[in-house]
């Protein structure tokens, strides 16, 4: 019996609602496994099918593995692997065209790896498979199976599933683009840096190491252009100083350099700070006020901690970056600006995009040119020069004649510096201020008396306010036989209380042992009475970076 007009309208409306809900789900996050499961649940609810699967191609372009499924148990999931041209799913993938099987019980090409034939059912079970496309490439296959009905063919299913598969294809393709970009950036950051031709210099920036010379070269290369720059690196690596150097080396050097820390303001204050406000636009707005975009017109705007901007404000910021115009808070007049944007973050934006907390379109808008700033522990040859630079500035500001001794430099070279250049600067200023003589040596540094602020933060104890700080020598093996495992601990230095108790928690004990042994895994393994192989597995398990000096 043919459906009447009301039934056709209801089906069309249901299909439209289905596509709309699935599009919202797929746009909400780049966690494809999560969004595909939710999309299949919507399809199962609206189409009333028994099972649904989404199989995506591996990197080899031949093997298909399940990415999401509805109605399968663990055993069926493991069995559901396919190859191009194998069975119905393999043929859909290879041909790039939908295939409908009205009755899977009579189809010899149906492999039944997911057990669709084995479930009890009444009547015939039909199967529909459509290709998932990303551009001109087939990325996978979307399938459903349901009880066949004489009054309901499969044309509607094919049409709806094709639309859904196109949405899925766009989502999968976007995830792969983000993943490839992240891998490219990470390989760029971790690759061996070659010595650039000549030497580069930046005002107020100290860096003779290969890593910093590479950064300087990139700054000189990108500064004359109009491109948006994203500075990346740990907190305290000097991103603001590099941003100012980019401005000073650009054609805009005579124009304003305006900076704003996005993490320091709430969303409402951030909007007012960036875009300005009209008089009377909110309580306390007694006068008209220009925002940072207007103040930086013709120059450079530096947005620090861009990764901390809320998702709601990201949408507003994206429009300004695209159109280069905005309205003040409480105003209706569009204001056009000519601003060169430099952003900075210490966050992993790729993970944030995948988690749906950072807009992918804004990510691509600000990530035109990326410059990675190395951590201070990765460029230890710059530590002494930086320390002398900070000490020279301290002498000028305080009318002193302080100098750094050789053993004082050795102390600085053996620190880990989790706070990077900012921590080194604070350490020099604190030590120079408290020193009672003009030559800073080992005894003047807080770590020599177990008062290092970094150690206090690192060895914070849950029970006590601050746990006793340990600065013990590396254990030494008695005799020459390492397999014996017999060790002795040298005596603590006079006046220093040494505690051999390991911190609570496996990760804390691992870090403690590695620090006591100078980050030599074999020695740390002996200290913990485990094998080097077990030590390596434990470090990988807890994602502990092995520090190299």
């Amino acid at each position: 019996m043919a459906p009447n007009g009301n039934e056709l309208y209801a089906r069309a409306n249901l299909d439209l609602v289905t596509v709309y809900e699935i599009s919202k789900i797929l746009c909400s996050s780049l966690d494809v496994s999560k969004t595909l499961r939710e999309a299949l649940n919507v399809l199962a609810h609206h189409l009333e099918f028994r099972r649904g699967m989404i199989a995506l191609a591996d990197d080899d372009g031949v093997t298909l593995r399940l990415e999401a499924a509805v109605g399968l148990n663990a055993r069926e999931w493991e069995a559901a692997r396919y190859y191009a041209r194998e069975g119905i799913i393999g043929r859909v993938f290879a041909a790039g065209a939908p295939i409908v099987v009205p009755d899977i019980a009579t189809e010899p090409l149906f492999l039944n790896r997911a057990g669709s034939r084995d479930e009890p059912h009444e009547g015939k079970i039909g199967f529909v498979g459509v290709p998932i496309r990303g551009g001109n490439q087939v990325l996978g296959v979307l399938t459903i199976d349901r009880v066949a009905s004489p009054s309901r063919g499969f044309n509607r299913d094919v049409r709806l599933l094709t639309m859904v598969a196109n949405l899925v294809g766009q989502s999968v393709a976007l995830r792969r683009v983000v993943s490839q970009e992240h891998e490219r950036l990470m390989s760029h950051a971790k690759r061996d840096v070659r010595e650039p031709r000549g030497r580069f210099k930046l005002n107020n920036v100290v860096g003779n190491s290969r890593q910093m010379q590479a950064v300087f070269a990139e700054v000189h290369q990108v500064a004359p252009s109009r491109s948006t720059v994203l500075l990346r690196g740990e907190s305290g690596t000097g991103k603001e100083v590099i941003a100012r150097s980019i401005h000073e080396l650009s054609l805009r050097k005579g124009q304003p350099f305006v900076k704003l820390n996005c993490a320091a303001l709430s969303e409402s204050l951030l909007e007012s700070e960036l875009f300005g406000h009209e008089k009377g636009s909110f309580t306390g707005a007694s006068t008209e006020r220009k925002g940072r975009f207007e103040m930086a017109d013709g120059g450079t705007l530096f947005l620090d901690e861009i990764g901390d901007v809320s998702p709601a404000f990201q949408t507003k910021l994206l429009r300004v970056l695209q159109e280069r115009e905005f309205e003040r808070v409480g105003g209706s007049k569009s204001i056009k600006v000519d601003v060169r944007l430099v952003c900075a973050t210490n966050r992993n934006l790729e993970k944030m995009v995948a988690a749906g907390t950072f807009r992918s379109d804004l990510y691509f808008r600000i990530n035109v040119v990326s410059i990675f700033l190395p951590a201070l522990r990765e460029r230890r040859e710059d530590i002494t020069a930086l320390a002398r630079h900070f000490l020279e500035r301290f002498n000028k500001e305080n009318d002193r004649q302080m100098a750094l001794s050789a053993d004082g430099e050795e102390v600085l070279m053996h620190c880990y510096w989790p706070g990077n250049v900012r921590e080194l600067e604070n350490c020099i200023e604190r030590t120079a201020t408290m020193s009672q003589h003009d030559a800073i040596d080992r005894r003047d540094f807080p770590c020599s008396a177990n008062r290092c602020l970094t150690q206090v933060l690192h060895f914070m104890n849950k029970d006590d306010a601050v746990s006793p700080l340990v600065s013990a020598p590396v254990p030494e093996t008695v005799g020459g036989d390492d397999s014996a495992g017999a060790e002795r601990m040298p005596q603590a230095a006079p006046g220093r209380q040494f505690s051999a108790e390991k911190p609570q928690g496996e990760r804390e004990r691992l870090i403690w042992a590695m620090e006591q042994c100078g980050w030599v895994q074999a020695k740390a393994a002996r200290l913990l009475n485990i094998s080097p192989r077990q030590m390596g597995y434990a470090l990988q398990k807890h994602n502990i970076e092995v520090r190299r000096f």
Side-chain angles (χ1 to χ4, degrees):
M1 181 177 178
N4 57 38
N6 291 335
E7 291 176 341
L8 291 175
Y9 175 79
R11 291 181 183 178
N13 185 62
L14 180 60
D15 291 351
L16 181 62
V17 170
T18 302
V19 172
Y20 173 69
E21 290 186 6
I22 289 176
S23 66
K24 286 200 303 181
I25 291 171
L26 295 176
C27 291
S28 64
S29 169
L30 283 181
D31 184 351
V32 173
S33 298
K34 172 178 173 290
T35 54
L36 294 188
R37 286 195 304 271
E38 294 177 359
L40 282 179
N41 286 330
V42 171
L43 277 176
H45 176 70
H46 289 179
L47 291 186
E48 299 178 349
F49 60 73
R50 300 188 322 152
R51 292 169 174 237
M53 298 189 304
I54 293 179
L56 298 180
D58 283 335
D59 294 336
D60 58 12
V62 177
T63 308
L64 291 166
R65 56 176 174 76
L66 281 189
E67 189 71 30
V70 172
L72 272 66
N73 58 37
R75 180 186 59 81
E76 293 165 343
W77 178 288
E78 290 295 329
R81 290 187 70 86
Y82 306 91
Y83 297 92
R85 303 185 183 279
E86 180 189 34
I88 301 297
I89 293 179
R91 290 176 178 250
V92 172
F93 177 74
I99 293 180
V100 176
V101 179
D103 185 2
I104 61 176
T106 61
E107 175 54 62
L109 291 176
F110 191 78
L111 301 178
N112 195 39
R113 286 183 179 164
S116 294
R117 288 177 182 165
D118 305 332
E119 284 194 352
H121 55 270
E122 296 180 1
K124 300 177 181 179
I125 299 298
F127 177 90
V128 180
V130 297
I132 297 172
R133 292 184 175 275
N136 296 325
Q137 183 182 8
V138 180
L139 304 178
V141 178
L142 167 63
T143 71
I144 66 164
D145 58 72
R146 64 171 177 83
V147 177
S149 172
S151 61
R152 176 184 169 187
F154 293 96
N155 290 336
R156 175 197 171 199
D157 296 339
V158 172
R159 183 173 62 250
L160 178 59
L161 291 177
T162 300
M163 290 189 287
V164 172
N166 287 334
L167 294 175
V168 170
Q170 294 175 17
S171 178
V172 172
L174 178 59
R175 181 191 69 166
R176 292 185 176 179
V177 168
V178 171
S179 298
Q180 291 170 1
E181 175 69 6
H182 180 256
E183 290 174 2
R184 185 187 70 81
L185 293 175
M186 291 300 103
S187 62
H188 174 77
K190 294 180 179 179
R191 75 179 188 272
D192 291 332
V193 183
R194 295 180 180 178
E195 187 75 23
R197 295 179 182 178
R199 306 294 293 178
F200 294 91
K201 283 188 175 182
L202 297 180
N203 292 334
N204 298 319
V205 185
V206 178
N208 294 318
S209 62
R210 292 185 305 163
Q211 294 88 338
M212 286 306 293
Q213 282 294 304
V215 170
F216 291 176
E218 291 176 339
V219 169
H220 279 272
Q221 179 75 21
V222 74
S225 71
R226 297 172 56 91
S227 300
T228 300
V229 180
L230 179 62
L231 302 177
R232 310 188 67 169
E234 296 180 8
S235 179
T237 49
K239 294 186 283 294
E240 181 179 334
V241 181
I242 296 296
R244 187 176 290 277
S245 297
I246 292 174
H247 172 71
E248 292 176 350
L249 291 172
S250 71
L251 301 177
R252 301 169 180 255
K253 61 182 179 181
Q255 301 300 319
F257 175 79
V258 180
K259 57 187 180 181
L260 179 67
N261 190 326
C262 298
L265 301 171
S266 64
E267 182 178 333
S268 57
L269 288 177
L270 185 60
E271 183 175 6
S272 176
E273 282 291 327
L274 280 178
F275 306 144
H277 60 255
E278 300 288 349
K279 180 180 179 181
S281 57
F282 54 85
T283 302
S286 56
T287 59
E288 175 184 282
R289 184 176 185 277
K290 287 185 177 181
R292 303 297 174 99
F293 270 102
E294 283 185 84
M295 294 165 61
D297 191 19
T300 303
L301 176 61
F302 174 56
L303 297 181
D304 199 6
E305 305 298 349
I306 189 71
D308 293 304
V309 174
S310 68
F313 191 77
Q314 291 173 24
T315 306
K316 300 175 183 178
L317 185 59
L318 178 65
R319 175 182 174 258
V320 180
L321 299 185
Q322 289 175 334
E323 307 296 335
R324 297 293 175 176
E325 65 178 26
F326 60 92
E327 295 85 34
R328 292 177 182 166
V329 177
S332 57
K333 178 184 175 182
S334 292
I335 301 173
K336 283 188 172 291
V337 291
D338 176 22
V339 173
R340 202 269 182 83
L341 191 67
V342 179
C343 301
T345 183
N346 59 3
R347 289 175 171 260
N348 188 326
L349 293 185
E350 289 75 24
K351 283 188 177 180
M352 295 178 66
V353 171
T357 58
F358 198 87
R359 291 180 62 103
S360 58
D361 42 8
L362 179 59
Y363 168 82
F364 290 116
R365 178 66 61 178
I366 65 174
N367 190 25
V368 179
V369 177
S370 286
I371 298 179
F372 283 85
L373 274 65
L376 185 57
R377 60 184 173 274
E378 296 172 0
R379 54 181 185 110
R380 291 189 170 274
E381 52 266 52
D382 291 332
I383 291 178
T384 301
L386 282 166
R388 290 173 178 171
H389 171 75
F390 295 138
L391 190 57
E392 180 181 349
R393 188 169 65 189
F394 175 85
N395 288 336
K396 289 181 180 179
E397 294 174 352
N398 297 274
D399 194 22
R400 297 283 298 272
Q401 298 295 324
M402 308 285 293
L404 188 61
S405 67
D407 62 344
E409 293 178 358
E410 184 180 356
V411 170
L412 298 178
M413 290 294 292
H414 286 83
C415 289
Y416 183 57
W417 302 116
N420 295 295
V421 179
R422 184 183 295 120
E423 183 186 0
L424 174 61
E425 180 181 7
N426 292 341
C427 178
I428 293 296
E429 182 175 354
R430 180 171 59 251
T431 304
T433 301
M434 300 305 296
S435 178
Q436 298 178 358
H437 45 85
D438 290 339
I440 299 177
D441 58 21
R442 178 185 299 272
R443 295 167 298 176
D444 294 312
F445 288 100
C447 54
S448 66
N450 289 340
R451 297 196 309 271
C452 178
L453 297 181
T454 299
Q455 287 183 333
V456 171
L457 293 174
H458 195 69
F459 289 101
M460 188 66 67
N461 195 304
K462 296 180 180 179
D463 300 325
D464 305 322
V466 178
S467 64
L469 300 178
V470 178
S471 183
V474 178
E476 298 176 354
T477 303
V478 177
D481 185 7
D482 289 348
S483 62
E487 298 169 327
R488 61 182 177 88
M489 186 70 71
Q491 295 296 318
R496 179 178 303 172
Q497 184 65 34
F498 169 65
S499 171
E501 291 186 14
K502 304 182 185 68
Q504 297 296 318
E506 183 177 356
R507 179 182 173 83
E508 288 74 20
R509 287 197 300 271
L510 289 168
I511 295 175
W512 172 83
M514 291 293 284
E515 288 189 338
Q516 302 313 305
C517 299
W519 290 88
V520 178
Q521 292 188 42
K523 291 182 179 179
R526 291 198 300 269
L527 180 60
L528 294 176
N529 198 24
I530 60 177
S531 69
R533 182 185 295 271
Q534 289 173 320
M535 189 71 187
Y537 288 154
L539 293 173
Q540 291 181 5
K541 172 185 174 183
H542 292 281
N543 194 25
I544 297 174
E545 178 188 3
V546 178
R547 306 169 188 174
R548 304 188 185 279
F549 303 100

